[in-house]
C-alpha cells in the first residue's frame, strides 16, 4: 500500500512539474502576444491619426498628375524635335 501511494505521489509530482512548465510556456506566449498587440495598436493609431493627411496628399498628387497629363496631351512636340 505504501509502495502504491509512493508511485501515485511520484506520478502526481511529474504531472505537477509538466503542468507548471506548460503554464510557464503559456504565460510567456501570452506576454509575447500582449507585446505584439501593443505594437499593432501603436501602428494602427499612427495610420488612423495620419489617414486624412495622407489622403489629402494623395488626392493632390492625383490631381497634379491629371493636370500634367492634360498639359502633355495638348502639347505639340514637333517644336522640341527641330534639328539645328
Amino acid at each position: 500500500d505504501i509502495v502504491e501511494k509512493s508511485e501515485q505521489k511520484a506520478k502526481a509530482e511529474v504531472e505537477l512539474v509538466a503542468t507548471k512548465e506548460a503554464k510557464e510556456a503559456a504565460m510567456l506566449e501570452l506576454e509575447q502576444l500582449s507585446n505584439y498587440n501593443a505594437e499593432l495598436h501603436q501602428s494602427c493609431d499612427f495610420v488612423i491619426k495620419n489617414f486624412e493627411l495622407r489622403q489629402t496628399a494623395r488626392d493632390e498628387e492625383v490631381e497634379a498628375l491629371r493636370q500634367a497629363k492634360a498639359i502633355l496631351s495638348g502639347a505639340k512636340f514637333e517644336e522640341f524635335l527641330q534639328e539645328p
Side-chain angles (χ1 to χ4, degrees):
D1 192 40
I2 293 177
V3 173
E4 185 178 313
K5 293 211 184 251
S6 295
E7 287 176 2
Q8 289 177 352
K9 181 181 176 189
K11 287 180 184 178
E13 287 175 352
V14 168
E15 287 180 18
L16 178 63
V17 169
T19 303
K20 284 183 179 179
E21 288 175 356
K23 178 186 173 189
E24 288 178 23
M27 294 299 286
L28 178 61
E29 184 179 5
L30 184 61
E31 183 179 351
Q32 290 171 343
L33 289 172
S34 177
N35 292 339
Y36 182 63
N37 183 36
E39 290 173 17
L40 284 178
H41 199 318
Q42 282 183 326
S43 177
C44 288
D45 285 348
F46 177 80
V47 169
I48 290 171
K49 180 179 176 184
N50 294 304
F51 177 77
E52 288 189 29
L53 178 66
R54 293 171 62 221
Q55 188 175 26
T56 301
R58 191 156 340 253
D59 289 344
E60 291 172 359
E61 183 180 1
V62 167
E63 183 58 31
L65 289 171
R66 284 187 183 137
Q67 290 176 2
K69 182 180 175 186
I71 291 169
L72 292 175
S73 294
K76 295 183 180 180
F77 291 101
E78 293 83 27
E79 299 169 6
F80 298 106
L81 299 175
Q82 292 177 357
E83 293 183 23

